[in-house]
Amino acid sequence: MGMKELLRTNDITIIAFAKALLQGEDIEVFELDVNMSILDGSLGILPRRLMVRREDHFIATSVLKANDIDLGL
């Protein structure tokens, strides 16, 4: 079991929406780079990443694309 990057954005509203969609589909999601805002002075210039299990990546990508979420990759 490994993790694979699903989404990369610095828009926290997209992160929240994507997480809600994925959790609604019982897909575990892990957010990376949350604490990077300390380094960029809370300006939001450094993107955050959402990771999912490798075996959930295909369905998670489909869910986000069906909701017009740009994966930013």
Side-chain angles (χ1 to χ4, degrees):
M1 176 175 100
M3 301 291 280
K4 191 168 180 180
E5 184 176 349
L6 175 67
L7 169 70
R8 183 182 299 210
T9 183
N10 54 0
D11 186 337
I12 59 172
T13 60
I14 291 176
I15 293 281
F17 183 47
K19 286 174 66 174
L21 288 170
L22 296 170
Q23 290 167 349
E25 297 289 331
D26 290 326
I27 298 172
E28 288 187 61
V29 60
F30 185 75
E31 189 175 349
L32 295 181
D33 306 320
V34 176
N35 295 322
M36 293 301 289
S37 63
I38 294 168
L39 297 177
D40 74 9
S42 298
L43 296 175
I45 58 173
L46 296 175
R48 293 183 183 185
R49 295 176 288 160
L50 286 185
M51 308 292 285
V52 293
R53 289 185 307 211
R54 193 169 295 281
E55 56 268 19
D56 291 334
H57 190 267
F58 179 78
I59 190 69
T61 300
S62 298
V63 168
L64 296 188
K65 286 183 178 180
N67 286 278
D68 295 324
I69 295 178
D70 180 20
L71 302 179
L73 300 173

